[in-house]
Amino acid sequence: MAGKDEIEIALVPKSQMEEIQKKLDTLNEALQDIRQNWQPKEPPVYLSRNEVAAMLGITLATLHSWDKKGLLKRYSIQNRVWYKRDEVEAALK
């Protein structure tokens, strides 16, 4: 093992170096792809029944009807009804 000020040189066959370089290139491409396409996951934004009804311009009765038909998915959290904003927006499309 080389000391602090010593240099250690190892001979590696050319074919093995080419294989290592190919793996490094593949890894580098994958990292670049991740850097370009990665987006941090944001926590869901929950809306109350009143907020959803106002957002959609409908009454609470219509919202309840849509729930029963399965047009919107509701979440019960601490005895209250909530909707995920992204799911409400997706239902509009």
Side-chain angles (χ1 to χ4, degrees):
M1 182 172 212
K4 185 175 181 181
D5 294 329
E6 296 177 24
I7 297 174
E8 186 174 319
I9 299 175
L11 298 178
V12 178
K14 186 175 181 178
S15 61
Q16 190 176 3
M17 283 302 297
E18 289 172 351
E19 185 64 31
I20 292 170
Q21 187 61 48
K22 285 179 188 178
K23 289 180 180 182
L24 287 173
D25 291 342
T26 301
L27 180 60
N28 190 35
E29 288 174 14
L31 286 173
Q32 287 178 355
D33 184 51
I34 290 170
R35 284 187 193 116
Q36 290 174 354
N37 298 319
W38 183 78
Q39 297 199 2
K41 187 173 182 177
E42 295 181 21
V45 176
Y46 289 95
L47 303 174
S48 68
R49 293 176 69 235
N50 289 329
E51 290 172 322
V52 173
M55 180 180 170
L56 299 176
I58 59 175
T59 65
L60 292 175
T62 302
L63 181 59
H64 180 72
S65 173
W66 289 7
D67 281 346
K68 294 295 181 189
K69 292 178 182 177
L71 298 175
L72 293 174
K73 184 175 180 184
R74 57 190 274 171
Y75 298 87
S76 295
I77 303 171
Q78 296 181 348
N79 296 326
R80 295 196 57 191
V81 175
W82 298 95
Y83 299 86
K84 288 184 182 179
R85 175 186 284 278
D86 59 341
E87 291 178 359
V88 173
E89 290 172 349
L92 291 173
K93 296 177 185 177

